[in-house]
Amino acid sequence: MSDDGRDLDDPDDGPIARRKRPLRYAMSAAYVIAGITHFLAPKAFARVVPPGLPKPRALVYLSGIAEVGLGFGVACDRTRRGSAWGIMALLGAVFPANVYMATDDVAADLAPNRLSGVARAVAWARLPLQGVLLLWAWWYTRLESEPGSGTDDDDAGPTEIRTP
């Protein structure tokens, strides 16, 4: 036991668990920024939509709205869990676009010629990164009272005040 009452053997007090809330805000910002870029460069995003899907630009705007909304949602305590589940669903929905971008050399076509090799490597690196992003979002789907979930103050609702 430490001087401040923490159990030194408790994994919930580890260095990553202590950073859970700041990492949530980083996740939030990343999704909000990514979502906004869908509106700033819709043509580029539409090019990575697999050919079999209808209305690529509409899908780009829809995914941008989802990223912005879910990004803000994961930052708020009340909507954190639902938004994290939504992020996981969104990652699954856009995975075919990531596969298409890597396998059909779309990423290289979007980059200047001198960077096409880097673009290809990044497109392939994005595929396993999706797993990391899924795990990161999953971390915020857990009830804070579950073992290994990190801090236990995120879901503390309003304190009930009883008057006589």
Side-chain angles (χ1 to χ4, degrees), residues 13-114:
D13 286 333
I16 292 175
R18 286 192 298 268
R19 291 177 177 84
K20 188 172 186 179
R21 187 176 292 265
L23 286 171
R24 179 164 52 118
Y25 296 136
M27 171 188 276
S28 171
Y31 281 98
V32 169
I33 291 167
I36 290 170
T37 62
H38 285 65
F39 298 96
L40 299 176
K43 191 175 180 180
F45 281 96
R47 289 178 63 190
V48 302
V49 174
L53 297 176
K55 301 186 180 186
R57 190 167 286 220
L59 293 173
V60 167
Y61 289 139
L62 183 62
S63 62
I65 290 167
E67 285 185 350
V68 170
L70 294 169
F72 279 124
V74 81
C76 301
D77 289 339
R78 289 184 184 257
T79 56
R80 170 189 54 87
R81 291 183 69 224
S83 294
W85 282 114
I87 287 170
M88 292 175 66
L90 180 64
L91 288 168
V94 301
F95 190 70
N98 291 332
V99 171
Y100 174 66
M101 195 164 48
T103 60
D104 284 22
D105 222 19
V106 176
D109 293 342
L110 291 171
N113 285 341
R114 69 183 189 286

Side-chain angles (χ1 to χ4, degrees), residues 90-147:
L90 180 64
L91 288 168
V94 301
F95 190 70
N98 291 332
V99 171
Y100 174 66
M101 195 164 48
T103 60
D104 284 22
D105 222 19
V106 176
D109 293 342
L110 291 171
N113 285 341
R114 69 183 189 286
L115 297 176
S116 62
V118 173
R120 280 186 194 97
V122 169
W124 281 102
R126 283 180 68 130
L127 299 179
L129 178 63
Q130 294 291 107
V132 173
L133 295 174
L134 279 166
L135 286 172
W136 190 11
W138 174 76
W139 194 25
Y140 297 107
T141 65
R142 303 178 68 203
L143 289 172
E144 294 303 322
S145 59
E146 291 179 30

